[in-house]
Amino acid sequence: MGLSASEAASLLGVSDQSVYKWESGKTRPRASQFASIAALRGMSKKEAASRLDVSAR
C-alpha cells in the first residue's frame, strides 16, 4: 500500500515501535491485533489515505 510504519501504526492504533518490531521479526502482533491488521490489508489506498487524513485533524 506504500504506507510508512508510522502511518500503518496510526491506522492500527499501535505504536510505531510495534510495527518496526513486527517487520524486523523481533516480535509478533498480539492475537487481538490480527483483526485490525486484516482490515488494514483489505483497505484500498484511497480509504487508508482518507482515514489518515481524518486522524491527523
Side-chain angles (χ1 to χ4, degrees), residues 2-3 7 15 17-19 26-27 30 32 35 38 42 46 48 50 56:
L3 296 173
E7 291 168 330
S15 70
Q17 281 300 79
S18 292
V19 175
K26 291 181 181 179
T27 62
R30 294 182 179 152
S32 61
K46 187 175 181 178
S50 174

Side-chain angles (χ1 to χ4, degrees), residues 26-42:
K26 291 181 181 179
T27 62
R28 295 184 49 113
R30 294 182 179 152
S32 61
Q33 295 163 326
F34 289 147
S36 296
I37 294 168
L40 176 60
R41 291 184 59 154

Side-chain angles (χ1 to χ4, degrees), residues 2-3 10 16-17 20 25-27 36 41-43 45 47 49 53 55-56:
L3 296 173
S10 178
D16 298 359
Q17 281 300 79
Y20 290 123
K26 291 181 181 179
T27 62
S36 296
R41 291 184 59 154
M43 252 183 237
K45 288 183 181 184
E47 182 180 356
D53 184 46
S55 68

